[in-house]
Amino acid sequence: IEIRNNAATLHLSGLDLVDGTPVVDVKPFVPTYDSAPEARVPGWVGGGLSMRRPVSFRTTALQQLKDICDNDGDNDDHPTSLLEFYGPHEGESPQEAFDNIRECIQEVLSVDVRSQFQTQKSRRGNFKVERAQRMQPQRQPPQSSIAATSSSRRQSDSKECTQQLDNLLIRYTVQEKGTPLERETSEGSGAEDCIVVTAIEYLGKG
């Protein structure tokens, strides 16, 4: 970091970028996933990685996921697989696909290393993956029997966030923990928030 005339310049190296490429966002180093033993991390990053947020599912969300897995590539309505990484073409039964997807959703949503600013955004429901331009071609009503149950288009809760997993859109809410925090390093982060998966929709293949 170079500071001149009260202006800070962050010099980066070791990036897989063409020289001159704009860097619009810088994420913290995460020892669990990166390899730089000499690097130091702020307390809120280490605290966030050491915690696992509880993730629960509404009954309707689990039923939506079950409908998708039960109808994946094994009948006339779905001669090909709905999902890319789960299901019959991966040697999984519908129940195995259901269990593996549910576990993956829990693992993805249970870890949070966002800054305080980003944490507040997620609590307000301001993280919505379907806003991204790359998602627009996929946001089409599915031509299948699961349209009425697992992929129904509804008015989403204003505080719902969304996350894409495979060809699924995961809707969830982030609730701030009301009791005293377990770790001081969680202060200002969402490491101890509670996650509730409210709906799981089939996006269709892009």
Side-chain angles (χ1 to χ4, degrees):
I1 299 178
E2 179 184 358
I3 300 178
R4 291 183 179 179
N5 299 323
N6 294 323
T9 300
L10 178 63
H11 295 275
L12 303 175
S13 63
L15 303 180
D16 186 14
L17 300 174
V18 176
D19 188 30
T21 300
V23 177
V24 298
D25 192 16
V26 178
K27 294 292 191 297
F29 166 75
V30 178
T32 306
Y33 310 121
D34 301 322
S35 180
E38 71 283 359
R40 295 178 296 172
V41 299
W44 60 269
V45 175
L49 287 171
S50 65
M51 301 292 296
R52 290 295 182 271
R53 303 185 297 182
V55 179
S56 61
F57 294 76
R58 286 185 182 172
T59 302
T60 51
L62 292 177
Q63 184 60 53
Q64 289 169 333
L65 179 57
K66 185 177 187 302
D67 290 344
I68 294 171
C69 293
D70 287 346
N71 287 279
D72 189 11
D74 61 355
N75 57 47
D76 293 338
D77 288 336
H78 307 285
T80 59
S81 179
L82 299 173
L83 304 173
E84 296 288 340
F85 305 109
Y86 301 90
H89 68 292
E90 294 293 332
E92 296 177 332
S93 68
Q95 184 61 49
E96 289 172 331
F98 174 89
D99 292 338
N100 290 336
I101 294 172
R102 179 177 179 176
E103 181 179 358
C104 185
I105 293 172
Q106 288 177 310
E107 290 181 358
V108 169
L109 298 182
S110 67
V111 179
D112 185 87
V113 292
R114 293 186 178 95
S115 65
Q116 186 172 3
F117 172 72
Q118 297 292 343
T119 293
Q120 294 301 323
K121 285 182 62 177
S122 65
R123 289 171 179 166
R124 294 193 301 267
N126 289 347
F127 280 102
K128 299 187 184 296
V129 69
E130 67 269 33
R131 290 175 179 169
Q133 185 175 1
R134 66 180 176 82
M135 289 285 293
Q136 299 310 309
Q138 292 181 265
R139 297 291 293 167
Q140 301 174 359
Q143 303 298 319
S144 68
S145 62
I146 64 173
T149 55
S150 59
S151 297
S152 59
R153 300 298 176 227
R154 58 179 178 76
Q155 185 67 34
S156 64
D157 188 301
S158 62
K159 290 191 175 182
E160 278 183 341
C161 296
T162 55
Q163 174 75 45
Q164 183 182 7
L165 174 66
D166 202 297
N167 292 327
L168 303 175
L169 184 71
I170 315 302
R171 297 186 180 275
Y172 64 96
T173 59
V174 181
Q175 302 171 359
E176 186 174 4
K177 184 177 180 181
T179 55
L181 298 177
E182 295 181 22
R183 295 174 179 266
E184 291 184 2
T185 53
S186 297
E187 185 68 33
S189 76
E192 297 189 35
D193 287 350
C194 299
I195 308 300
V196 179
V197 177
T198 57
I200 301 174
E201 302 175 6
Y202 174 60
L203 284 171
K205 292 188 176 182

